[in-house]
């Protein structure tokens, strides 16, 4: 009995277990509860409520999805309030919902996401675009609309496209506004742009126009005229209203609004004319949704349902697609055996009995599986492909770029993360390879504020009462370039006059004050002076500032107004002509090539004359002597041999012309060497100077010290700092043996001014660096660009040269060249003549050999029985013997051979 009872109970237990297991595995609930939370009384909320209802109707009436299970959505109004949002989320968790659509506001999303993550309920938001809602921090938060990170990338690309460098950001001072502006700043920094000023506005609706006016008055005093508005509807239109009152919607201003403005324009169009008048010329962005038959059909259906009020916008389309996304995910969830079941959290169960009734909340057991299916979704909705990338953002983000114009809007292009800015739709670009080159970034023309087509400059000189702080070096030498007027804060000199003239050409006033840099006892360090810009002590540096690599890394320079570069100055000594002075006119290569051509021409003429001219015949020794004598006698036009052949005379004529030019050049150069006083230096250039161990002078405060030591690896112990032109002259006269220097390395403008009064020194070698002088400004300063344009205008109208002549034309030395150049004549000056002579020789020999080949008698037929090699050797011997024979003997020999051949033929027959 006991055994039978045990078997019966075991069978009953197994049967009940199997029945329960089968019900859990195969039973699909008739209704799945879904929550939705957003602000009903908002542009997005009013549209989203209708869109969600229509999506539910479409899903529940579609027999191909969920297969009998209906979706039921419970709506809750959070009014974009964090506290209410948390309360409503907790209420949802007590009703066994499997997912929540929402929240609408980014400030509510983090709070609810914490609850959703703990209870494993996916949170699908079609409107929370805050870029900091990270998938790592909030694993159950899924954004079904575009991330604001991409919108800020689009704004940064627009700013970079038009060449602006600084912007002002006005934002709602909450998490959404601050995080959006932070993302914009990061994207601008990637393009070497920046937010020069940012200001937040209260997030609630109680912000007054007075507060906004205080903000815009400060903005109007700033330098930048590019304003980015990341606001909500109420604050945004208040800003535009106050900006119109302050005259900030006219020429020169650029207003870029994020997609809050396009949302209003799409949802409430047409806006009142007085409202449209306040936003003329504004640029705004709109989340791009591709055109499709389904989208057009839904728009028509929407108008039938609502009568056009409210109007459908992009967020309504995303809300509609979110319901379908959840339906597809649940369908896959059930197909994989997912079960809608909940269990109590042991951490919450311990709080049972409290007035909050937290024990009613439960964990969605298969929430992870549903989340996985949501993230693996891949279908095409009204907004395009609904598919997520690795960071849980929708793939292929894109925006429409809109220009507010007249009573409506005008689309000027698109932005996509695939190819950047374009006038071609993103769907077309997706079929092509990605191309983000600057030439491919295009937008249609924009009607800017003030009804102008001209692109605004984007900045003005700030009218905030601050003077531009300009650092000026207080030099103690070469004061012609820049110097401080004794007893005043004023400066004078060539560089100061150039700066003043350039400022006067600017289309706006630039108030500034000059600040002396240096102790007045020695020249200051120019590298330290330029570094003051990066620390904010100076707003610009004006003076004889060399544009060198290490400085361009930290500041921006204007267009160079003086060409510069390092040169070497050395003392010169009189050069005495020696016993071999007659060899100096030509370089070694010139002597070798000239001698070679004498021999070549002699040999060519001998070949051309040997058969017909008795003077070129005789024993071998005599012929060699004839070639040598004829060759070198042509140098003096004293050759006694007559040329008889036409080809020989042609070659000789060309060669005599070459000899005439060479003789004339040699004579002139030798005369100059022997009769004109020449100065020379043992230093020929920077290589020979660096190879010695002699001391080298440089100007105090110049970058020459760093260049010589770091770039040329010259020991600093060899470098001597010199503070004035007088110190230059004294050190050079003493020389390295008497406590002086072998040479001075300095920039060309200083050296030219030094040599204008010091005639015993010269520039040796070539300029071994290339640079210039410019005015220094902070990185990406727009003033640097405008000053460059002004400097170019000074150069074109001649004012720059007149300023130069005023300060720097003080020469007391002769007008001879200040650079030492060799008096030797090089091959490069005569290679054309040698080329003509060589071509003439080759052509003459070619024609001559053709004539000889025509005179060769044909080989007898009997020769065919011999080998081919012996035939070629006999033909070569006949060719050489024919060249050596005199022309009359050759002709008689040909006749005899012809008769002998005829006799042989008769005998053979």
């Amino acid at each position: 009995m006991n055994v039978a009872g045990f078997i019966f109970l075991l069978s009953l237990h197994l049967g009940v277990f199997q029945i329960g297991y089968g019900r859990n595995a195969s039973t699909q609930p008739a209704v799945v509860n879904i929550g939705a939370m957003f602000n009903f009384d908002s542009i997005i909320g009013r549209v989203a409520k209708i869109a969600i209802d229509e999506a539910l109707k479409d899903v529940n009436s579609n027999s191909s999805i969920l297969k009998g299970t209906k979706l039921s959505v419970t709506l809750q109004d959070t009014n974009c309030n964090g506290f209410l949002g948390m309360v409503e989320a907790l209420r949802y968790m007590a009703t066994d919902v499997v997912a929540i659509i929402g929240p609408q506001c980014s400030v509510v999303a983090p709070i609810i996401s914490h609850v959703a993550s703990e209870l494993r309920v996916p949170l699908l938001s079609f409107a929370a675009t805050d870029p900091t809602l990270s998938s790592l921090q909030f694993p159950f938060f899924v954004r079904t609309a575009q991330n604001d990170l991409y919108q800020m990338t689009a704004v940064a690309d627009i700013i970079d496209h038009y060449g602006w460098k600084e912007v002002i950001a006005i934002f709602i001072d909450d998490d959404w506004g601050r995080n959006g502006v932070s993302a914009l700043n990061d994207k601008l920094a990637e393009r070497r742009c920046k937010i020069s000023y940012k200001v937040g506005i209260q997030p609630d609706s109680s912000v007054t126009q007075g507060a906004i006016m205080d903000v815009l008055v400060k903005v109007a005093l700033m330098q930048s005229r590019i304003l980015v508005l990341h606001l909500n509807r109420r604050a945004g239109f208040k800003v535009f209203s106050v900006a119109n009152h302050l005259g900030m919607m006219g020429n020169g201003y650029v207003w870029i609004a994020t997609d809050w403005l396009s949302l209003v324009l799409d949802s409430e169009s047409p806006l009142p004319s007085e409202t449209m008048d306040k936003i003329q010329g504004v640029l705004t962005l709109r989340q791009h949704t591709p055109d499709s038959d389904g989208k057009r059909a839904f728009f028509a259906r929407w108008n039938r349902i609502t009568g056009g009020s409210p109007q459908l916008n992009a967020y309504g389309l995303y809300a509609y697609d979110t319901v379908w996304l959840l339906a597809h995910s649940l369908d896959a969830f059930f197909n994989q055996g997912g079960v809608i079941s909940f269990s109590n959290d042991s951490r919450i169960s311990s709080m049972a009995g409290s007035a909050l009734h937290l024990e009613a909340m439960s964990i969605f057991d298969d929430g992870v599986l549903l989340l996985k299916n949501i993230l693996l979704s891949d279908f095409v909705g009204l907004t395009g492909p609904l598919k997520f990338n690795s960071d849980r953002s929708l793939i292929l983000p894109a925006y429409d770029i809109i220009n507010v114009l007249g009573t409506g809007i005008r689309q000027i292009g698109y932005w996509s993360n695939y190819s950047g800015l374009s006038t071609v739709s993103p769907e077309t670009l997706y079929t092509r390879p990605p191309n983000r080159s600057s030439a491919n970034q295009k937008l249609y023309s924009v009607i800017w504020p003030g009804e102008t087509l001209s692109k605004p400059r984007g900045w003005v000189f700030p009218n905030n009462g601050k003077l531009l702080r300009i650092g000026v070096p207080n030099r103690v030498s070469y004061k012609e370039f820049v110097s401080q007027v004794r007893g005043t804060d004023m400066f004078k000199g060539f560089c100061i006059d150039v700066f003043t003239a350039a400022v006067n050409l600017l289309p706006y006033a630039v108030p500034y004050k000059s600040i002396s840099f240096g102790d007045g006892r020695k020249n200051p360090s120019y590298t330290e002076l330029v570094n003051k810009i990066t620390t904010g002590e100076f707003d610009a540096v004006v003076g004889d500032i060399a544009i060198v690599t290490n400085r361009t890394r930290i500041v921006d320079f204007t267009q160079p107004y003086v060409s510069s570069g390092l040169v070497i100055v050395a003392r010169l000594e009189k050069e005495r002509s020696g016993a071999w002075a007659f060899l100096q006119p030509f370089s070694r290569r010139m002597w070798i090539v000239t001698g070679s051509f004498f021999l070549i021409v002699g040999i060519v003429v001998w070949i051309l004359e040997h058969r017909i001219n008795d003077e070129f015949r005789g024993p071998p020794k005599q012929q060699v002597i004839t070639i040598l004598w004829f060759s070198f006698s042509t140098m003096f036009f004293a050759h006694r041999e007559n040329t008889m052949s036409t080809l020989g005379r042609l070659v000789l004529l060309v060669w005599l012309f070459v000899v005439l030019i060479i003789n004339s050049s040699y004579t002139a150069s030798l005369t100059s060497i022997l009769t004109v006083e020449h100065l020379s230096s043992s230093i020929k250039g920077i290589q020979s100077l660096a190879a010695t161990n002699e001391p080298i002078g440089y100007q105090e405060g110049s970058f020459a010290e760093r260049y010589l030591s770091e770039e040329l690896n010259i020991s600093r112990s060899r470098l001597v700092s010199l503070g004035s032109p007088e110190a230059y002259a004294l050190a050079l006269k003493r020389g390295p043996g008497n406590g002086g220097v072998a040479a001075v390395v300095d920039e060309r403008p200083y050296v030219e001014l030094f040599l204008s009064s010091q005639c015993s020194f010269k520039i040796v070698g070539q300029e071994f660096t290339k640079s210039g002088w410019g005015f220094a400004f902070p990185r990406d300063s727009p003033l640097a660009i405008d000053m460059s344009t002004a400097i170019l205008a000074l150069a074109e109208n001649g004012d720059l040269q007149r300023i130069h002549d005023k300060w720097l034309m003080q020469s007391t030395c002769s007008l001879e060249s200040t650079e030492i150049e060799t008096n030797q004549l090089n091959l490069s000056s005569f290679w054309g003549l040698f080329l003509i002579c060589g071509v003439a020789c080759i052509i003459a020999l070619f024609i001559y050999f053709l004539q000889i080949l025509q005179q060769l008698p044909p080989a007898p037929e009997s020769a065919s029985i011999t080998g081919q090699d012996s035939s070629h050797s006999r033909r070569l011997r006949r060719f050489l013997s024919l060249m050596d024979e005199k022309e009359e003997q050759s002709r008689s020999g040909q006749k005899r051979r012809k008769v002998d051949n005829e006799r042989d033929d008769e005998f053979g027959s």
Side-chain angles (χ1 to χ4, degrees):
M1 240 354 241
N2 291 335
V3 175
F6 176 77
I7 294 174
F8 172 77
L9 291 175
L10 179 61
S11 301
L12 180 63
H13 173 74
L14 291 175
V16 171
F17 176 78
Q18 290 175 353
I19 293 171
Y21 178 81
R23 181 179 297 120
N24 287 337
S26 61
T27 301
Q28 188 169 313
V31 178
V32 175
N33 294 321
I34 299 172
M37 47 198 312
F38 47 85
N39 185 3
F40 293 173
D41 188 22
S42 66
I43 296 176
I44 295 177
R46 287 192 293 269
V47 173
K49 187 175 184 298
I50 301 174
I52 291 174
D53 288 340
E54 294 302 311
L56 282 174
K57 294 177 184 177
D58 294 342
V59 169
N60 290 333
S61 62
N62 193 325
S63 60
S64 64
I65 193 169
L66 291 178
K67 300 179 179 61
T69 298
K70 303 298 182 182
L71 295 183
S72 176
V73 176
T74 305
L75 302 178
Q76 295 291 347
D77 186 2
T78 60
N79 198 26
C80 284
N81 184 285
F83 176 73
L84 293 179
M86 180 181 63
V87 171
E88 296 299 337
L90 293 176
R91 288 179 59 187
Y92 274 138
M93 300 311 170
T95 58
D96 292 345
V97 296
V98 299
I100 299 175
I101 298 176
Q104 171 186 333
C105 299
S106 296
V107 293
V108 181
I111 302 172
I112 302 177
S113 294
H114 284 296
V115 178
S117 298
E118 291 296 328
L119 302 180
R120 301 176 192 170
V121 175
L123 195 63
L124 288 77
S125 177
F126 59 88
T129 57
D130 185 348
T132 62
L133 294 173
S134 168
S135 58
L136 297 177
Q137 184 180 6
F138 308 112
F140 277 78
F141 176 83
V142 180
R143 194 194 325 263
T144 60
Q146 298 296 349
N147 190 333
D148 265 350
L149 177 66
Y150 297 114
Q151 181 173 206
M152 295 308 173
T153 306
V155 173
D157 277 347
I158 293 172
I159 292 168
D160 184 54
H161 173 70
Y162 288 110
W164 301 315
K165 293 300 180 182
E166 295 184 5
V167 303
I168 295 174
I170 303 175
F171 59 95
I172 286 292
D173 196 7
D174 58 14
D175 291 343
W176 171 74
R178 287 189 295 268
N179 294 334
V181 170
S182 177
L184 175 61
N185 196 36
D186 293 341
K187 293 302 177 180
L188 288 173
E190 293 175 4
R191 293 152 180 81
R192 288 189 59 182
C193 306
K194 66 178 181 179
I195 297 176
S196 59
Y197 181 71
K198 56 184 178 181
V199 58
I201 294 178
Q202 285 180 294
D204 54 37
S205 59
S206 63
V207 60
T208 63
Q209 287 198 344
I212 292 177
M213 182 169 290
D214 292 340
V215 168
L216 292 186
V217 167
K218 293 180 182 178
V219 168
L221 297 177
M222 299 296 168
Q223 174 176 288
S224 176
R225 285 294 181 262
I226 314 299
L227 290 91
V228 177
L229 300 185
H230 192 45
L231 303 168
N232 56 33
R233 182 186 188 281
R234 292 188 182 92
F237 281 101
K238 285 182 180 180
V239 167
F240 283 129
S241 177
V242 175
N244 271 276
H245 178 73
L246 296 177
M248 297 174 65
M249 297 298 296
N251 286 338
Y253 281 90
V254 175
W255 294 82
I256 302 175
T258 51
D259 63 349
W260 66 266
L261 180 56
S262 65
L263 176 65
V264 176
L265 294 172
D266 289 340
S267 303
E268 300 182 2
S269 180
L271 294 177
S273 58
E274 60 270 17
T275 302
M276 293 299 296
D277 290 342
K278 295 176 182 178
I279 58 175
Q280 292 297 302
V282 175
L283 294 182
T284 184
L285 287 84
R286 176 175 58 201
Q287 296 196 38
H288 174 76
T289 55
D291 193 18
S292 64
D293 294 338
K295 178 182 171 181
R296 286 191 293 268
F298 189 73
F299 264 92
R301 173 181 167 188
W302 183 276
N303 291 329
R304 289 195 304 269
I305 297 171
T306 64
S309 179
Q311 298 180 20
L312 182 61
N313 54 49
Y315 287 99
L317 296 175
Y318 279 113
Y320 180 88
D321 280 351
T322 301
V323 176
W324 274 97
L325 172 66
L326 189 53
H328 282 286
S329 303
L330 283 169
D331 191 52
F333 171 82
F334 289 130
N335 292 334
Q336 295 170 8
V339 177
I340 304 297
S341 62
F342 298 86
S343 58
N344 293 329
D345 190 343
S346 58
R347 296 170 298 176
I348 301 176
S349 300
S350 61
M351 302 179 183
S354 67
L356 295 177
H357 298 288
L358 297 178
E359 69 277 4
M361 293 189 299
S362 55
I363 297 175
F364 181 19
D365 296 328
D366 279 343
V368 175
L369 179 60
L370 178 59
L371 176 66
K372 177 181 177 182
N373 282 286
I374 291 173
L375 296 176
L376 293 177
S377 297
D378 186 4
F379 71 99
V380 177
L382 299 182
T383 58
L386 268 78
K387 185 178 180 180
F388 298 95
N389 56 25
S390 58
D391 63 355
R392 299 189 181 183
S393 295
L394 290 177
I395 64 170
L396 305 177
Y399 286 85
D400 302 333
I401 303 173
I402 296 169
N403 183 203
V404 179
L405 183 62
T407 59
I409 59 176
R410 173 174 171 265
Q411 187 165 329
I412 62 169
Y414 306 89
W415 177 90
S416 67
N417 197 44
Y418 186 76
S419 293
L421 301 174
S422 176
T423 54
V424 181
S425 68
E427 288 70 40
T428 303
L429 295 176
Y430 296 151
T431 62
R432 307 173 185 172
N435 185 353
R436 298 188 70 99
S437 64
S438 57
N440 201 53
Q441 305 299 295
K442 298 177 181 178
L443 292 174
Y444 290 120
S445 59
V446 179
I447 306 297
W448 302 102
E451 298 182 0
T452 177
L453 283 170
S454 300
K455 184 196 78 173
R457 185 171 68 240
W459 76 283
V460 295
F461 199 83
N463 187 21
N464 53 9
K466 293 183 179 180
L467 299 177
L468 196 69
R469 297 163 300 170
I470 296 181
V472 183
N474 187 8
R475 295 192 58 88
V476 298
S477 63
Y478 294 112
K479 294 188 175 183
E480 293 86 351
F481 293 104
V482 58
S483 64
Q484 187 171 6
V485 179
R486 186 181 299 273
T488 69
D489 293 333
M490 301 176 61
F491 290 82
K492 64 179 181 179
F494 168 69
C495 301
I496 302 301
D497 281 4
V498 173
F499 176 76
T500 303
V503 168
N504 292 336
L505 290 180
L506 297 178
Y508 46 86
V510 181
Y512 64 90
K513 62 177 179 180
S514 299
I515 302 174
S516 176
F517 180 78
D519 56 12
R521 294 188 296 271
K522 62 180 181 179
N523 292 333
S525 169
Y526 279 37
T527 299
E528 183 180 350
L529 174 59
V530 171
N531 287 335
K532 294 292 184 181
I533 295 178
T534 62
T535 61
E537 185 172 338
F538 294 140
D539 298 316
V541 168
V542 171
D544 45 342
I545 313 298
I547 305 173
V548 293
T549 304
N550 65 324
R551 296 172 185 171
T552 58
R553 293 192 181 105
I554 58 176
V555 297
D556 280 351
F557 283 92
T558 62
Q559 172 78 16
Y561 59 90
V562 168
S563 296
S564 181
L566 293 179
V567 294
I568 302 172
V569 182
R571 184 181 178 184
L572 304 180
E573 297 179 354
K574 292 183 179 180
E575 182 178 341
R576 301 179 182 275
S577 57
W580 300 97
F582 66 91
L583 294 176
Q584 293 182 8
F586 286 165
S587 64
R588 179 181 301 178
R589 184 177 297 178
M590 181 66 182
W591 278 117
I592 294 173
V593 173
T594 302
S596 301
F597 260 85
F598 272 109
L599 292 176
I600 291 171
V601 171
I603 294 172
V604 170
V605 172
W606 176 82
I607 292 174
L608 299 176
E609 295 291 323
H610 179 67
R611 298 184 68 238
I612 60 176
N613 194 337
D614 291 336
E615 295 181 352
F616 289 88
R617 299 185 64 81
K621 181 179 179 180
Q622 180 181 348
Q623 293 184 48
V624 172
I625 295 174
T626 300
I627 291 173
L628 296 176
W629 166 254
F630 179 82
S631 298
F632 291 100
S633 62
T634 56
M635 179 183 297
F636 311 103
F637 304 98
H639 51 286
R640 66 189 182 191
E641 293 80 7
N642 294 321
T643 53
M644 300 177 60
S645 67
T646 303
L647 295 176
R649 291 174 178 175
L650 175 64
V651 171
L652 185 60
L653 179 64
V654 174
W655 173 243
L656 291 179
F657 175 74
V658 175
V659 170
L660 175 64
I661 301 299
I662 293 175
N663 278 341
S664 302
S665 303
Y666 176 84
T667 303
S669 181
L670 183 61
T671 302
S672 174
I673 291 173
L674 297 178
T675 59
V676 178
E677 182 180 63
H678 288 274
L679 302 175
S680 65
S681 171
S682 59
I683 300 171
K684 303 303 180 183
I686 187 61
Q687 288 80 11
S688 61
L689 179 62
T692 67
N693 290 320
E694 297 176 341
I696 303 170
Y698 68 92
Q699 184 182 171
E700 189 176 40
S702 171
F703 76 96
E705 178 189 15
R706 184 198 63 81
Y707 184 86
L708 293 173
S709 61
E710 297 181 8
E711 301 295 333
L712 301 182
N713 296 320
I714 296 176
S715 173
R716 289 184 182 271
S717 61
R718 294 177 55 192
L719 303 180
V720 179
S721 175
L722 303 173
S724 66
E726 294 74 17
Y728 283 17
L730 181 60
L732 288 170
K733 287 178 180 178
R734 286 180 177 177
N738 298 316
V741 297
V744 172
V745 176
D746 204 353
E747 296 178 71
R748 180 178 285 275
Y750 302 120
V751 170
E752 289 177 347
L753 189 59
F754 169 72
L755 295 179
S756 65
S757 58
Q758 298 288 339
C759 305
S760 58
F761 310 105
K762 298 293 179 184
I763 296 175
V764 297
Q766 300 294 323
E767 186 175 281
F768 56 92
T769 66
K770 291 292 183 181
S771 62
W773 289 355
F775 306 131
F777 292 89
R779 293 297 296 270
D780 302 319
S781 169
L783 188 57
I785 300 174
D786 288 356
M787 286 292 289
S788 295
T789 304
I791 290 172
L792 290 175
L794 290 175
E796 292 172 357
N797 62 25
D799 287 346
L800 190 60
Q801 185 61 43
R802 284 188 285 272
I803 297 173
H804 177 275
D805 296 343
K806 170 186 174 182
W807 289 97
L808 305 180
M809 293 295 289
Q810 302 178 2
S811 178
T812 59
C813 296
S814 61
L815 296 178
E816 65 184 9
S817 173
T818 59
E819 294 188 18
I820 297 177
E821 296 181 357
T822 180
N823 292 315
Q824 285 188 331
L825 298 175
N826 294 312
L827 180 62
S828 59
S829 302
F830 298 94
W831 72 268
L833 289 173
F834 288 121
L835 177 63
I836 294 173
C837 183
V839 171
C841 292
I842 292 173
I843 293 175
L845 290 175
F846 180 73
I847 296 174
Y848 175 75
F849 288 142
L850 285 180
Q851 293 174 348
I852 296 297
L853 290 174
Q854 290 178 354
Q855 297 179 18
L856 276 177
E861 296 180 359
S862 59
S864 60
I865 61 175
T866 63
Q868 187 174 2
D869 292 340
S870 60
S871 174
H872 287 320
S873 61
R874 285 197 302 271
R875 187 174 180 83
L876 178 61
R877 287 196 297 272
R878 287 199 302 272
F879 177 79
L880 295 177
S881 64
L882 184 61
M883 285 184 60
D884 187 55
E885 290 180 357
K886 195 169 175 50
E887 188 170 358
E888 293 82 358
Q889 296 175 355
S890 175
R891 291 175 181 174
S892 61
Q894 289 179 6
K895 292 179 180 179
R896 287 195 301 271
R897 283 192 294 271
K898 182 177 181 181
V899 172
D900 292 341
N901 289 336
E902 290 177 353
R903 289 177 179 175
D904 291 340
D905 292 341
E906 292 178 357
F907 179 76
S909 61

